[in-house]
């Protein structure tokens, strides 16, 4: 039953190619599959849920995104285990991705919250949380 689950999330980005390069490997590592692709966007799907990335129109590019303003703060994904969080953290570092709250990692969310926090190319926060 899918009642109440997210159907999809759509995110506008400043540079579609850069965002696709960033998100493709991460989403596919988590089990997402390519879903839709068109000139100004691309999506990945897992189960009944999909995530869409769309190129922001040029007239809106001078308005910077900031996760602490009104709008989306971050996306959080389930990890398989603490080891999965650790493995993905190393892959993120190898890719030069900014790890947030590094001094508190992997307990930046509290003593009972094992996760890695990082930023996408537009500085949106992403979280991978162990069960």
């Amino acid at each position: 039953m899918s009642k109440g689950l997210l159907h999809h999330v759509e995110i506008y980005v400043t540079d579609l190619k850069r965002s696709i390069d960033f998100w493709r490997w991460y989403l596919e590592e988590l089990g997402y599959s390519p879903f839709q692709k068109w000139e100004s966007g691309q999506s990945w799907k897992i189960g009944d849920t999909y995530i869409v990335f769309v190129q922001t129109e040029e007239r809106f590019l001078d308005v910077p995104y900031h996760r602490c303003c009104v709008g989306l703060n971050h996306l959080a994904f389930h990890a398989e285990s603490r080891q999965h969080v650790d493995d993905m953290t190393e892959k993120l570092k190898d890719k030069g991705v900014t790890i947030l709250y590094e001094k508190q990692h992997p307990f930046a969310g509290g003593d009972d919250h094992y996760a890695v926090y990082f930023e996408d190319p537009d500085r949106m926060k992403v979280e991978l949380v162990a069960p």
Side-chain angles (χ1 to χ4, degrees):
M1 180 167 142
S2 59
K3 181 180 178 183
L5 298 178
L6 283 177
H7 185 271
H8 72 275
V9 175
E10 186 168 312
I11 302 169
Y12 276 65
V13 298
T14 58
D15 182 330
L16 183 61
K17 182 187 178 324
R18 184 177 65 161
S19 290
I20 287 171
D21 290 345
F22 176 86
W23 282 98
R24 175 188 299 122
W25 80 269
Y26 179 71
L27 292 174
E28 291 177 7
E29 283 272 341
L30 295 180
Y32 284 75
S33 298
F35 180 48
Q36 302 160 317
K37 185 175 183 177
W38 63 102
E39 184 179 333
S40 61
Q42 189 165 341
S43 66
W44 283 264
K45 187 173 185 175
I46 190 169
D48 292 329
T49 303
Y50 61 98
I51 299 177
V52 184
F53 299 93
V54 179
Q55 176 63 53
T56 299
E57 291 179 30
E58 193 165 328
R59 64 188 170 127
F60 296 118
L61 287 175
D62 62 341
V63 180
Y65 167 81
H66 195 287
R67 67 179 173 265
C68 293
C69 293
V70 173
L72 182 68
N73 175 269
H74 71 281
L75 292 174
F77 297 86
H78 289 281
E80 292 176 327
S81 63
R82 287 183 173 200
Q83 186 61 52
H84 186 209
V85 169
D86 294 343
D87 293 345
M88 290 298 284
T89 300
E90 288 308 309
K91 289 178 181 182
L92 290 160
K93 287 179 179 179
D94 289 346
K95 290 180 170 292
V97 173
T98 300
I99 304 296
L100 301 172
Y101 324 120
E102 209 162 4
K103 288 184 180 180
Q104 294 86 16
H105 175 77
F107 294 105
D111 292 341
D112 296 327
H113 191 80
Y114 198 95
V116 59
Y117 298 85
F118 56 98
E119 289 182 329
D120 86 342
D122 285 316
R123 300 197 62 215
M124 182 175 62
K125 183 167 65 173
V126 184
E127 179 180 357
L128 183 63
V129 186

